[in-house]
Amino acid sequence: MSQSQGVLKDTIAGGFGGACLVLVGHPLDTIKVRMQTMVVQPGVPPPYTSTWDCAMKTMKAEGPLALYKGMVAPLTGVTPMYSLCFLGYSFGQKIFCKEDTYKNLDLVRIGLAGATSGIFTTPILAPLERVKCLLQIQGKTGQYKGPWDCAVKLYKEGGIANVNKGYMATMLRDSVASFFYFSTYAILKHAMTPEGQAQPSAWGTLFAGGMAGIFNWLGCIPIDTLKTKLQTAPEGKYPNGIRSVFKDVIKNDGWRALHQMFQW
């Protein structure tokens, strides 16, 4: 197989896997976004008390399909996003990794190589995340009819900068997430590989990838919460971007609000 055929094969496989990821995980992502953006007032019960409560209230008020709001945006960009992710990782390996990096499990270097992928994926992810989050939080009679309508209206209101609102926050989130993902995957893949074998079994690979995904979110969920609040906020509410969001959240809601999604 030629190198170009191998790249094409990896792109198709990665795109298909990414599409499956979006189809399965988007309802949970919608719940995450709604919990991250809910307004909690002192002395008043929060709109959602847990992940389950948010899911039930959303489906009761808007129907089961409400959990899939905004799905077209990430589904459209998932194939080029994953291609750029691994391209960025490969580029990061050339910068940070040495010949014995993986043999010695130098997790810092591996993590930095992974973090580089965030720089490559952000040009696609930032506008898609902006559109997705806005669609996910609107009710039955929202102002946006779909992803394209949302993108066009955002552009008319404030140009390309408005469409890309939260660009640096998205890059920070994805770089931190990828740092934890690739370093965790490397150490678990090594641990799950039987002696004398070049790689783990299919179940070992599945376990390593699944756990890497968990650590991916454990590392970046506070940044993701700030990003989501920034991208869905009215214009001018956070003049200094993610820094303004951070100060506002800590002052009004406390540190626990950064991990709002972990309430089951």
Side-chain angles (χ1 to χ4, degrees):
M1 181 184 293
S2 67
Q3 184 176 3
S4 60
Q5 288 177 320
V7 172
L8 178 62
K9 182 179 178 181
D10 289 343
T11 300
I12 294 174
F16 181 77
C20 293
L21 177 66
V22 172
L23 289 169
V24 173
H26 194 80
L28 288 174
D29 186 75
T30 299
I31 295 169
K32 171 183 72 70
V33 168
R34 291 198 171 201
M35 291 189 68
Q36 287 174 327
T37 57
M38 68 179 179
V39 178
V40 181
Q41 299 178 350
V44 179
Y48 310 117
T49 58
S50 66
T51 302
W52 181 253
D53 181 59
C54 179
M56 291 298 101
K57 286 180 177 177
T58 298
M59 289 190 289
K60 183 177 180 180
E62 305 169 45
L65 291 180
L67 297 177
Y68 288 92
K69 284 184 176 181
M71 186 179 70
V72 174
L75 199 59
T76 301
V78 69
T79 298
M81 187 276 290
Y82 270 94
S83 297
L84 288 173
C85 175
F86 285 97
L87 174 64
Y89 181 46
S90 176
F91 190 77
Q93 287 176 313
K94 295 178 181 179
I95 298 175
F96 296 106
C97 296
K98 301 179 179 179
E99 291 185 4
D100 60 351
T101 293
Y102 287 86
K103 181 180 179 180
N104 296 332
L105 288 180
D106 189 335
L107 299 183
V108 174
R109 290 185 178 276
I110 296 172
L112 289 173
T116 307
S117 67
I119 301 173
F120 284 72
T121 59
T122 303
I124 291 179
L125 270 180
L128 292 179
E129 283 281 305
R130 169 85 155 127
V131 169
K132 174 187 72 69
C133 289
L134 287 171
L135 291 173
Q136 285 175 317
I137 65 171
Q138 70 176 9
K140 283 185 176 181
T141 56
Q143 62 176 315
Y144 305 118
K145 298 177 182 179
W148 180 250
D149 180 60
C150 180
V152 169
K153 287 181 177 177
L154 289 175
Y155 182 80
K156 288 181 178 179
E157 291 169 2
I160 195 67
N162 192 32
V163 179
N164 280 288
K165 184 178 180 180
Y167 188 96
M168 295 305 296
T170 302
M171 182 185 294
L172 178 61
R173 180 202 67 174
D174 289 345
S175 294
V176 172
S178 295
F179 180 98
F180 283 96
Y181 180 89
F182 284 103
S183 58
T184 301
Y185 182 71
I187 192 170
L188 290 178
K189 183 180 179 182
H190 179 269
M192 299 297 292
T193 301
E195 188 174 352
Q197 299 293 322
Q199 59 185 15
S201 65
W203 286 109
T205 302
L206 183 65
F207 176 80
M211 292 302 297
I214 291 175
F215 278 88
N216 172 101
W217 280 107
L218 285 174
C220 80
I221 195 67
I223 303 173
D224 182 69
T225 298
L226 299 176
K227 177 204 73 71
T228 300
K229 286 181 178 293
L230 174 61
Q231 290 184 316
T232 57
E235 190 61 34
K237 182 175 181 180
Y238 300 118
N240 295 317
I242 194 171
R243 290 176 296 166
S244 295
V245 185
F246 178 76
K247 291 179 181 179
D248 181 70
V249 169
I250 299 304
K251 179 181 178 181
N252 296 309
D253 303 316
W255 290 93
R256 187 179 180 183
L258 296 176
H259 301 83
Q260 192 79 50
M261 186 55 201
F262 289 121
Q263 296 180 26
W264 180 258

